[in-house]
Amino acid sequence: MSSKINSNNNNNHRINGQISLQPCTHLADFRSRHRSNPFRALQDCLRIKPPGGRAAIRRDPSEVPLCGVCGDSGGGRTRLYACVSCAAVHCHAPPGGGPSHAAAHAESARGGHEIAVDVDRAELFCCACRDQVYDRDFDSAVVLAQTAASTLHAPPHSVTTPTTIRLPQPENLRKRRRIDYRPWTPDPRERSLMGSSSSPLNGTVSDSDSNSDSRSNDLLPWGLRGLNNLGNTCFMNSVLQALLHTPPLRNYFLSDRHNRFYCQKKSNCNGNGNGDGIVNRRNASNNERNNNSRMCLACDMDAMFSAVFSRDRKPYSPAKFLYSWWQHAANLASYEQQDAHEFFISMLDGIHEKVEKERRKPHSQGNGDCCIAHRVFSGILRSDVMCMTCGFTSTTYDPCVDISLDLEPNQGGSAKMASTKSNHASNGEVDCLNSSQNSGISTLMGCLDRFTRPERLGTDQKFFCQQCQVRQESLKQMSIRKLPLVSCFHIKRFEHSSTRKMSRKVDRYLQFPFSLDMAPYLSSSILRRRFGNRIFPFDGDEPEASNELSSEFELFAVVTHTGKLDAGHYVTYLRLSNQWYKCDDAWITQVNENIVRAAQGYMMFYVQKMLYYKASEKQVAA
Amino acid sequence: MRPSVNRPPTPDVQENQEKEPTLQETINIKLIESGEKERLMELLRERLVECGWKDEMKAICRAFIKKKGRNNVTVDDLVHVITPKGRASVPDSIKAELLQRIRKFLVSAAL
């Protein structure tokens, strides 16, 4: 937010052309008059209610601030501001909302008294511009004080004292780079190059089909092809259908980024070549390695993409893929029913592992540049654990390829549920939330709210506080530090109760939106809720992660499960060109979106809105 | 440097002691001193988020900023625009819950 500049003061500075950081002239004046440390007096008055409370401005903790003119305590229609120059407290209301004694004070003092601080929020305000203003030094001081609040009355080995709250000296203005999207159309040279060195995907297959077949083919979008059930493999087919239509994954394979012919040659050279000597030397181990190197899930994916997008509509049998996956996950190799989510994790892992072997370079999973699976699916979760005694917070970052969500506890009130969710039941906040949400049905947003809600860890799972040097009760909060390109939400419908040694399936309905904004669950939002509106870089890294554009997601696939825990059936609903299709193994039918909304979702696949091309899907088909 | 800078940012309480505080003011001060006001505000904040009130206000602000251009809007403008709508659209159930809490507090404080 930028501040309005009075017309008589027209020397507005621009820092690196960033309008958002352009200071109000009054704030700039104030800073230049008090060069050394303009907010020194304020820092001693920062009060934070530990642990993790909001910052407020009070001279002493029990003080009740009142407006110097009217004696208002800021409870009703006004806000209270303390002038940062002379410390006078005044109330302020927007024009039409009553008198503003703060603005009157700024005017009567003839300059220098425009900047004030909100006593309850510790945020700066310019009474002349009548707008919020932001100052890096002030904001970072508040955040530091908030994080160090507890340290002040902590054991003596902590070195932080009120006077040593240091301000980061350089105004590290990071320029945000953004590249505009420009649609690409081939120029004549590129067009001829494409024509001469590639063969069109639709060969003669559709022509050889019967007429009625080819006509219906043309109506359907590309890539819709049933997958044969190879013996209880609907768990695999359902996930594969979702993956085959994951926009970034589809683009990767269809643009020949992983060519199975090239890949096989390479692994043959590396693996056995024709070197008899190697084979003789390490016979058994080399055989194993041969098998491994020949097994490449990404190659099988590539083959599958070619087959599925070949315009042949006859159901395809992913037998080779299944065989490769069995080699990768030997413990799951059987014709029994498996969990679709387990398969999803296992096959992403398989693609990742293969790439790692090829490059022989350790890659951290979190930054997502290691392999296509993680580039598309991996995000980073942030978990803050705060000690309830001293307020010390330890933060950890964990890579994830999906987010597993608990269904909200049953409002209908089955006693069984309450017992299985014992660690949540101890959380008072969750309980009061439930009472307020009695009426509603569970929603995906509700699950995400619960996921990012501060959760009190019970007495049985105390966490070792580095500052107290003992195990303490703590408050844990999850948030999403980096969003993946494709978010996969897994709903924990299969419940395992350790006390009863029993598993069961939760059949409750969960509402999920077709468009989802993930912004409230990002670390930046969670931290903003904790610290207030500041321009201090909380995460210590670039703000791109909280880019508003990329927090909007569109649903494109839902994997549903019907039946019981040990026997059931998986079906995938796909959204292509804004039309829904039901993929039930070999059969694909067009369905109404209400059927999808009513389905019992087990895994939901959302893609970043900028990657979800509604219109371009049609172009490809044409 | 001006000497006034080193003065504390809040006025002396004694200055305002001359006039007798009204009942409303007394209650307000009691609420603040006991920390109940903080808890009430936290509760209210949570309830307003839950019922969608906050999203509604956010949408109004966004629409207003879009209309005016993002460089021509101040916090005061926004407060002015959303205040009437915001006050009118707080669900009665939340008002009742808060009133109940305040009543309970007054009873316990009077004892």
Side-chain angles (χ1 to χ4, degrees), chain A residues 424-475:
Chain A
H424 293 296
S426 67
N427 187 348
E429 287 157 46
V430 172
D431 282 352
C432 77
L433 176 82
N434 287 342
S435 62
S436 74
Q437 287 192 337
N438 261 340
S439 52
I441 5 166
S442 335
T443 64
L444 183 62
M445 280 86 84
C447 292
L448 281 164
D449 280 339
R450 271 170 57 86
F451 181 70
T452 53
R453 186 168 284 266
E455 178 191 15
R456 189 164 298 172
L457 297 179
T459 42
D460 50 329
Q461 35 183 342
K462 283 184 177 175
F463 131 95
F464 183 80
C465 173
Q466 288 179 33
Q467 193 166 282
C468 303
Q469 294 290 314
V470 278
R471 290 187 169 274
Q472 297 282 14
E473 289 201 13
S474 53
L475 202 66

Side-chain angles (χ1 to χ4, degrees), chain A residues 227 229 232-235 237-238 337-338 340 494 505 559-572 582-587 600 602:
Chain A
L227 297 174
N229 195 321
N232 282 337
T233 58
C234 59
F235 70 91
N237 289 349
S238 60
Q337 299 196 358
Q338 304 288 349
F494 302 109
K505 197 192 156 201
V559 174
T560 64
H561 183 264
T562 49
K564 294 219 177 61
L565 178 78
D566 45 346
H569 188 53
Y570 287 105
V571 166
T572 300
K582 179 183 178 186
C583 305
D584 182 354
D585 286 335
W587 297 275
Q600 192 188 87
Y602 178 56

Side-chain angles (χ1 to χ4, degrees), chain A residues 32 98 108 126 222 262 310 352 361 363 503 521 523:
Chain A
S32 63
S108 65
C126 174
W222 272 35
Y262 175 65
S310 68
H352 171 69
K361 243 192 288 176
H363 288 275
S503 300
Y521 317 109
S523 299

Side-chain angles (χ1 to χ4, degrees), chain B residues 35-103:
Chain B
E36 179 70 4
K37 190 167 183 179
E38 192 79 12
R39 286 192 288 276
L40 284 173
M41 291 213 292
E42 201 50 54
L43 177 76
L44 177 62
R45 228 172 249 138
E46 203 170 290
R47 289 288 180 270
L48 289 177
V49 170
E50 279 167 15
C51 75
W53 181 90
K54 191 183 163 186
D55 289 338
E56 196 186 323
M57 293 303 112
K58 211 170 176 178
I60 297 173
C61 288
R62 271 177 192 273
F64 181 75
I65 294 169
K66 258 204 185 115
K67 202 175 82 188
K68 297 275 273 186
R70 65 173 200 155
N71 292 331
N72 307 318
V73 177
T74 66
V75 170
D76 265 12
D77 294 341
L78 290 177
V79 172
H80 185 59
V81 165
I82 65 169
T83 300
K85 289 171 191 154
R87 281 189 195 284
S89 61
V90 175
D92 287 342
S93 59
I94 295 180
K95 289 184 195 166
E97 188 186 358
L98 277 162
L99 192 62
Q100 188 61 30
R101 281 280 296 260
I102 296 171
R103 280 224 177 90

Side-chain angles (χ1 to χ4, degrees), chain A residues 232-487:
Chain A
N232 282 337
T233 58
C234 59
F235 70 91
M236 176 179 80
N237 289 349
S238 60
V239 171
L240 285 181
Q241 286 287 11
L243 293 180
L244 284 169
H245 295 92
T246 299
L249 213 56
R250 179 199 61 194
N251 294 351
Y252 176 86
F253 281 103
L254 289 188
S255 60
D256 214 19
R257 301 281 296 280
H258 185 104
N259 189 314
R260 58 189 182 280
F261 303 109
Y262 175 65
C263 176
Q264 250 164 19
K265 253 181 245 159
K266 196 162 73 174
S267 57
N268 279 348
C269 293
N270 289 346
N272 54 358
N274 286 327
D276 293 340
I278 305 168
V279 178
N280 289 338
R281 251 187 286 155
R282 290 178 289 166
N283 219 343
S285 66
N286 208 34
N287 270 346
E288 251 179 54
R289 254 182 69 203
N290 271 351
N291 275 340
N292 279 343
S293 62
R294 217 172 276 155
M295 189 279 287
C296 172
L297 281 177
C299 287
D300 294 312
M301 279 298 276
D302 187 41
M304 200 173 351
F305 266 103
S306 300
V308 162
F309 283 85
S310 68
R311 198 163 256 208
D312 186 354
R313 299 285 180 186
K314 277 175 281 178
Y316 175 76
S317 295
K320 182 129 193 320
F321 180 87
L322 180 66
Y323 179 65
S324 299
W325 177 64
W326 276 357
Q327 284 184 317
H328 167 68
N331 54 328
L332 300 172
S334 71
Y335 284 110
E336 280 163 31
Q337 299 196 358
Q338 304 288 349
D339 180 30
H341 177 247
E342 201 174 2
F343 167 75
F344 172 71
I345 299 291
S346 157
M347 77 151 286
L348 287 191
D349 190 48
I351 292 177
H352 171 69
E353 207 172 69
K354 172 67 189 171
V355 171
E356 195 135 283
K357 249 181 235 155
E358 261 174 26
R359 293 197 191 158
R360 299 184 192 280
K361 243 192 288 176
H363 288 275
S364 65
Q365 191 197 334
N367 54 24
D369 58 357
C370 57
C371 66
I372 183 60
H374 286 135
R375 215 180 302 154
V376 172
F377 288 100
S378 84
I380 299 175
L381 290 179
R382 171 183 170 132
S383 126
D384 291 326
V385 179
M386 183 192 280
C387 169
M388 294 293 283
T389 312
C390 73
F392 176 82
T393 307
S394 85
T395 301
T396 46
Y397 296 104
D398 292 307
C400 64
V401 290
D402 69 334
I403 295 176
S404 288
L405 297 169
D406 281 310
L407 269 172
E408 289 170 274
N410 204 347
Q411 280 96 28
S414 86
K416 259 188 270 170
M417 281 293 292
S419 67
T420 51
K421 299 250 166 189
S422 58
N423 36 350
H424 293 296
S426 67
N427 187 348
E429 287 157 46
V430 172
D431 282 352
C432 77
L433 176 82
N434 287 342
S435 62
S436 74
Q437 287 192 337
N438 261 340
S439 52
I441 5 166
S442 335
T443 64
L444 183 62
M445 280 86 84
C447 292
L448 281 164
D449 280 339
R450 271 170 57 86
F451 181 70
T452 53
R453 186 168 284 266
E455 178 191 15
R456 189 164 298 172
L457 297 179
T459 42
D460 50 329
Q461 35 183 342
K462 283 184 177 175
F463 131 95
F464 183 80
C465 173
Q466 288 179 33
Q467 193 166 282
C468 303
Q469 294 290 314
V470 278
R471 290 187 169 274
Q472 297 282 14
E473 289 201 13
S474 53
L475 202 66
K476 185 183 178 192
Q477 186 169 30
M478 303 290 294
S479 55
I480 301 168
R481 147 83 176 276
K482 177 181 164 272
L483 283 167
L485 295 179
V486 177
S487 265

